[in-house]
Amino acid sequence: MSKDKAGNTFDLGLFKRLMRYTRPYRLTFIGVAFAAISLSVFSSVRPILLKYTIDDYVLSKDSHGLLMFVVYMTIVLFLEVISQLSFIYYANWLGQSVIQDIRVKLFKHMLSFRMKYFDSSSVGILVTRAVSDIERIAAIFSDGLFMIVSDLLKMIVVAGVMLYFDWQLSLIVFAVLPLMLYATRLFQKAMKKAFIEVRKEVSNLNSFVQERLTGMKIVQLFVREKEEYEQFKVINEKHKKAWINTVWYNSIFIAVVELMSAITTGLIVWYGGLRAVMDGASDLGNIFMFIMLATMIFRPLRQIADKFNTLQMGMVAANRVFDILDTDSKIENKGNLTAENLKGALAFKNVRFGYIENEEVLHGISFEAKPGETIAIVGATGAGKSTIINLLNRFYEINSGEILADGTNINEFTIQSLRSQIAVVLQDVFLFADTILNNITLNDPSIKEEDVVQAAKDIGIHKFIKSLPGGYHYNVKERGSMLSSGQRQLIAFLRAYVSNPSILVLDEATSSVDGHSEKLIQKATDKITKGRTSIVIAHRLATIKKADRIIVMEAGKIVESGTHEDLLKQENGYYRNLYEVQFLAEEAI
């Protein structure tokens, strides 16, 4: 947000866009508005009843009339309470309904983002937008917009009552209002800038804490606790200073309002009392009424400023949320073909790609895989192996060339149907804080528990799962922390197997597991690759000897291709040298 935009007291365009989300709740919106009107009317009636009670019944000592007016005031107070209750409840209900719709839309939008967006965006900031910023939007309705409207209505009605009963005392009150309005305007401008800074520091704090908690193992392994602690103190200090600025502006404003309110009350008592003494008129009820009415004008004015702060914070939060909703970071899903029961024929034809503009990672990659073939891809770190997998799943768009599945360009398939035909087992397995069963099925209702059990038996890991407390209903906690890396890999293999893919991808699936787990994984690999096209990326060459073809990559190019035996026959070949180095290293161990 620019400084110029930040300095504006109100963004009407943004407000109109936000109000569109209230359309499904039009009746509730009207009901809240009616409750606000009723509240302003009933609250203004009480001072009038007090005036008549004092002038007509207290001073004349009429106990019967006094009792009758006390009953009237009780009824009005009851109606005011009912209006207040309805107003607060339904304003909050409307706010929560609106943010429910916005949060669902935001999450759905983020689900469609391409991987490039997440590569360059902080997860902590995205969480802040989806959680705390959206809660700020709810406050626009519960504590901001409707409260402001209600207070404005109350002030208008009160001003009308004042003018009707005594224009002279009214002028005393109105003479102070311009000063109050000017102070309020200055306060609003200062507070909006302060709240923009607050939201920025909240995002930074959330991002820092989430990343450090997620990466706590690295922090402790490299003994960086002290440095991270010091860095956190700096960020937290900035967060505190941002909030202190808002407290400072509030303190000044409230003090100014209270001072002006006290001066106004003193002037009403002085002028009303002086007039009563000089004219001999009984103005006692009028004075009491105007003291109450003046308070009812100044208090809402102060509250309007407070509520306007809430409104401003909500508008700043809405602007941040809408920035994400307006982000066009989707993979173009223009395909209209449904990928069903693919045979598994794959072809990369002169594919060029770079994560960063003008920095290619793949330099014209071309290869084919026949249905049912197992293709292994090897090469040094950074050679572009995993990039091939990302492009096959359309996580990124290629710069040029084409990728074919069963002879059809994958761009012609819908993204969802294409990815449903491809199962990927990554080196770094991600498990949700849920049961093993739900982590395998990913809550797909079409996959039954008995199907999962049978699949586990097929690939030889049923015994391992049953050995866990609760078996398939064992909760693996966040990121699968209750399981070893090898066990997580086995769960990932089963997840891929039950999805019954046409194409299987194993990306460094055995690079960080123990010997026992590797044997289980190798057995699982043999089972799930049988009869389907498979792409296996591996550093450990012993695991890919059975591959139908091995593709050797270096610096984004294919330098060798052939079977294990063929590649070993090449004198000074890249694959042969790599294999001999690994073989000698294993012998030494």
Side-chain angles (χ1 to χ4, degrees), residues 29 42 88 107 112 187 199 208 213 240 302 316 321 338 341-342 344 353 402 429-430 440 452 500 549 556:
F29 188 93
F42 291 134
I88 293 175
F107 188 72
S112 66
F187 176 67
R199 298 312 304 161
F208 182 88
L213 291 179
K240 185 192 80 171
R302 189 187 76 184
V316 170
V321 170
T338 301
N341 302 317
L342 294 179
F353 171 76
E402 61 178 346
V429 178
F430 187 94
I440 293 169
V452 174
N500 193 28
R549 186 148 42 94

Side-chain angles (χ1 to χ4, degrees), residues 346-364:
L346 290 177
F348 277 62
K349 294 188 176 182
N350 197 29
V351 173
R352 293 181 176 274
F353 171 76
Y355 293 101
I356 302 173
E357 191 174 356
N358 298 323
E359 293 185 20
E360 278 192 352
V361 175
L362 298 182
H363 309 287

Side-chain angles (χ1 to χ4, degrees), residues 577-589:
N577 291 335
L578 190 62
Y579 183 79
E580 287 176 350
V581 169
Q582 284 196 13
F583 183 74
L584 291 174
E586 290 176 2
E587 274 198 339
I589 293 173

Side-chain angles (χ1 to χ4, degrees), residues 324-519:
I324 298 179
L325 285 173
D326 293 338
T327 300
D328 184 14
S329 187
K330 295 181 180 180
I331 292 286
E332 290 189 8
N333 192 13
K334 296 181 178 179
N336 52 18
L337 298 180
T338 301
E340 289 181 339
N341 302 317
L342 294 179
K343 295 178 180 179
L346 290 177
F348 277 62
K349 294 188 176 182
N350 197 29
V351 173
R352 293 181 176 274
F353 171 76
Y355 293 101
I356 302 173
E357 191 174 356
N358 298 323
E359 293 185 20
E360 278 192 352
V361 175
L362 298 182
H363 309 287
I365 294 294
S366 296
F367 69 88
E368 293 185 7
K370 297 177 182 179
E373 274 192 336
T374 296
I375 303 296
I377 303 177
V378 300
T381 300
K385 305 184 300 297
S386 295
T387 300
I388 290 176
I389 309 310
N390 290 332
L391 299 181
L392 179 60
N393 282 278
R394 292 200 64 197
F395 289 143
Y396 302 88
E397 295 285 16
I398 61 177
N399 296 346
S400 63
E402 61 178 346
I403 303 173
L404 307 177
D406 284 6
T408 302
N409 191 309
I410 60 172
N411 291 339
E412 296 182 24
F413 294 118
T414 62
I415 292 178
Q416 291 76 14
S417 68
L418 174 67
R419 291 176 182 170
S420 70
Q421 294 293 301
I422 304 171
V424 181
V425 179
L426 299 171
Q427 176 184 359
D428 183 18
V429 178
F430 187 94
L431 298 181
F432 297 94
D434 206 335
T435 64
I436 286 179
L437 179 64
N438 288 339
N439 268 290
I440 293 169
T441 65
L442 297 177
N443 296 302
D444 184 345
S446 66
I447 304 176
K448 306 302 181 184
E449 182 172 353
E450 51 267 28
D451 299 330
V452 174
V453 173
Q454 184 58 51
K457 291 178 179 178
D458 290 343
I459 65 174
I461 65 171
H462 173 71
K463 185 177 180 181
F464 141 66
I465 296 176
K466 290 301 290 184
S467 68
L468 298 171
Y472 289 86
H473 298 279
Y474 177 63
N475 193 311
V476 299
K477 305 301 181 183
E478 187 175 3
R479 292 180 174 268
S481 60
M482 301 304 291
L483 302 177
S484 68
S485 59
Q487 290 171 330
R488 290 196 294 271
Q489 285 285 6
L490 291 171
I491 298 302
F493 268 81
L494 186 53
R495 176 194 287 168
Y497 184 54
V498 298
S499 67
N500 193 28
S502 299
I503 301 167
L504 177 70
V505 177
L506 306 180
D507 188 358
E508 307 286 3
T510 62
S511 61
S512 59
V513 297
D514 55 74
H516 176 69
S517 295
E518 183 177 356
K519 291 179 181 178

Side-chain angles (χ1 to χ4, degrees), residues 224-287:
R224 302 298 296 173
E225 293 93 338
K226 182 178 179 181
E227 289 75 11
E228 297 297 338
Y229 171 69
E230 293 299 328
Q231 192 174 350
F232 175 78
K233 287 204 300 184
V234 172
I235 294 175
N236 198 38
E237 179 66 21
K238 291 180 180 179
H239 178 263
K240 185 192 80 171
K241 287 181 179 178
W243 274 109
I244 289 297
N245 283 339
T246 67
V247 173
W248 170 248
Y249 293 137
N250 259 312
S251 301
I252 294 175
F253 181 72
I254 291 174
V256 169
V257 171
E258 289 298 332
L259 177 63
M260 291 184 177
S261 179
I263 291 173
T264 304
T265 300
L267 289 173
I268 289 172
V269 173
W270 169 75
Y271 184 77
L274 184 64
R275 191 172 59 179
V277 171
M278 293 180 65
D279 297 342
S282 176
D283 249 8
L284 187 59
N286 224 30
I287 292 173

